[in-house]
Amino acid sequence: MLREILAHPGKRLRPLLAFGSGAGAKNIASLIKGAAIVELVHLATLVHDDVLDGADQRHGADTPNRTHGAHAAVLFGDALFAHALVLASEHTSSEICSIVARASRDVCSGEVCQTFSRGNGALSLEDYQRQIRMKTAVLFEAACRVGALLAEHPPEHIKACSEFGLRLGIAYQIYDDLIDLLQDDKKAGKTLGTDAASGKLTLPMILERNRRGGDPAAELRAGKNPREVISSTTWRECFRLLDAEIASAEQALSPIEGSPSPFYLLRLTAFLRAATAKLSAQA
Amino acid sequence: MLREILAHPGKRLRPLLAFGSGAGAKNIASLIKGAAIVELVHLATLVHDDVLDGADQRHGADTPNRTHGAHAAVLFGDALFAHALVLASEHTSSEICSIVARASRDVCSGEVCQTFSRGNGALSLEDYQRQIRMKTAVLFEAACRVGALLAEHPPEHIKACSEFGLRLGIAYQIYDDLIDLLQDDKKAGKTLGTDAASGKLTLPMILERNRRGGDPAAELRAGKNPREVISSTTWRECFRLLDAEIASAEQALSPIEGSPSPFYLLRLTAFLRAATAKLSAQA
């Protein structure tokens, strides 16, 4: 089952964060293992997400849920997560275990909160921010922290990279939520507004509701075009908030300007900036 | 959700194993935490099992699956497991993390193997023994190892207790599998032969098939009484194997006779011996 899902990888963002944060490491094998640990945790959450959403396809291939059934897929996700922690515990110190286990717990808690707030039209901006921080950003942060730690970088390097990961994670989740409302990607088999359809409130819906009242999420669920439901004022505000997160990610690296890490990590923000500009033109 | 499931506990066998193996510990708080870690892992597997089996009741109360739905229950199980590892990583050394993560991975792998072998009438005795070892006995073993380690007992104590846990775990799972075919417990809401009904081959079915050929599991699935399907020769052989496991659990403690651990741990084998004798009278 592991071989099957590894044959169709995603973007491997979390390992990239670990490698960028750990640039200059002497023990490359240890850094690679750290990157693999974080990616395994991410894979475990994807396997479970696909069971819970009844998803048949991911990255253009059948999901374990589809191929082996929900029973085997839930257990497989559990085993993946446990294996990640086995690898983490191969370090003598429990620090890597602690980072990975804490981040995993936050990811699950964030997803539980999101599940319980499905269909809650009154979700506040603060709740949304807290949820995306827990379900996405803390694992980005953990990837950076693990990478920097395993490279034995000094505390200010670890701190700068971790903050970068956290900010990039928030930005990335906002971007992903905007994609769901703006990008009708036939190739990826994506349909517009799947978040709204599942009762999930995202940034544009929350900001639009706060601006004019009413229930924009319900309008989207009823099949209205996101470009009609969400005003141009709100789209601008969404992209402004997204840009601000990207900027604070970049800013977080200023204390370690001289090290090789920013060279790699700033490519990721540059990539997200370009993708954001493209998406913004479609709003 | 945690408060709900803790309100209706099971037998707390794994914490008892940790406390017995750690008897004489100076740092009681640390031992209690170790016991809690192993129990949390066990609870996580129960929460997921109940989702996968669509079970509404456990220990006389509604399951999280029933109360909060499969979505929240899967994520809750994940969070429980992650929380167990967070607690484990609070020890400076990664040894506790390693034991807990390895045992958890084995439990999940054992369950995956069992899932894939459902409906396989040709399952060998060796496969069965491997499966019950992984899905049950390794966590019993881990409970004992964690307890003995946290009490800072010497290596021969840790080894003796771990072996005791492993043997008791195998015995306990055989006992549990016999219960499923012999004890029609109206109070517990249990029905006879649920293992056979779900396509799971257990010791009596395997030994009976090996003895006379045919497909005893299919006969049970068809609704025949286990006492007719399984011969008295096979029942005797099952109880003989179970007694032998209990005896080797007891035997494992002989190198540490003088310590307080056997005093507590041998109560568990005594309890299982008595329950086994009672069950054997019903076969």
Side-chain angles (χ1 to χ4, degrees), chain A residues 1 44-45 48-49 51-53 68 70-72 74-76 78-79 81-83 85-86 88-95 97-99 101-109 111-112 115-116 118, chain B residues 1 44-45 48-49 51-53 68 70-72 74-76 78-79 81-83 85-86 88-95 97-99 101-109 111-112 115-116 118:
Chain A
M1 291 172 82
T45 67
H48 281 181
D49 281 351
V51 173
L52 298 172
D53 299 338
H68 303 286
H71 210 115
V74 167
L75 295 167
F76 174 52
D78 291 345
F81 180 47
H83 183 58
L85 268 304
V86 169
S89 69
E90 288 173 4
H91 292 269
T92 326
S93 138
S94 63
E95 202 169 2
C97 269
S98 173
I99 295 167
R102 272 168 207 282
S104 305
R105 189 181 57 176
D106 282 354
V107 170
C108 299
S109 303
E111 293 203 30
V112 171
T115 303
F116 280 121
R118 272 195 189 182
Chain B
M1 291 172 84
T45 66
H48 281 182
D49 281 352
V51 174
L52 298 173
D53 299 339
H68 303 287
H71 209 115
V74 167
L75 295 167
F76 174 51
D78 291 346
F81 180 46
H83 184 59
L85 268 304
V86 169
S89 69
E90 287 173 5
H91 292 268
T92 327
S93 137
S94 64
E95 203 169 3
C97 269
S98 174
I99 295 166
R102 273 169 206 281
S104 305
R105 189 181 57 177
D106 282 355
V107 170
C108 298
S109 304
E111 294 205 29
V112 170
T115 302
F116 280 121
R118 273 196 186 182

Side-chain angles (χ1 to χ4, degrees), chain B residues 54-74:
Chain B
D56 288 340
Q57 294 268 314
R58 181 177 290 269
H59 304 138
D62 285 353
T63 59
N65 183 47
R66 163 87 185 178
T67 313
H68 303 287
H71 209 115
V74 167

